[in-house]
Amino acid sequence: MNPWWVVPAMAFGVLGAWGLYLASPQQQWRATPVRAWLGAGCALLSLALLWPALGAAAAVAMWLTVLMLVATLAPFLGAWRARRCGGGR
């Protein structure tokens, strides 16, 4: 495993998942098709960087794990942010 490939791949994976989450029409973050395309592009770039570093099966497993982790945590972080800023009372 080469960390020079894995670290940027994880960063692009997180950015891609956030971009796809924020591009959802239910979000009030000015969802645009551009954000969806950027999120999908970052996610695919993440997979492309992981593939040569880990191999096919491990790359897909790690990629899906990162995307699912961010997609699961994103609503909770948004709720925490809203409550902290005073908007959730």
Side-chain angles (χ1 to χ4, degrees):
M1 182 166 66
N2 187 352
W4 293 104
W5 289 94
V6 175
V7 172
M10 293 297 102
F12 279 117
V14 170
L15 287 174
W18 268 107
L20 291 171
Y21 173 74
L22 294 176
S24 171
Q26 287 80 21
Q27 299 303 315
Q28 297 176 358
W29 290 71
R30 296 184 183 151
T32 61
V34 173
R35 189 169 299 194
W37 283 106
L38 287 174
C42 284
L44 289 175
L45 180 60
S46 171
L47 180 62
L49 290 173
L50 282 174
W51 200 284
L54 300 176
V60 170
M62 184 179 262
W63 181 66
L64 288 174
T65 302
V66 168
L67 293 181
M68 287 187 290
L69 177 68
V70 174
T72 301
L73 290 177
F76 295 108
L77 292 174
W80 174 75
R81 180 180 171 265
R83 183 174 176 157
R84 187 170 176 194
C85 293
R89 293 185 185 200

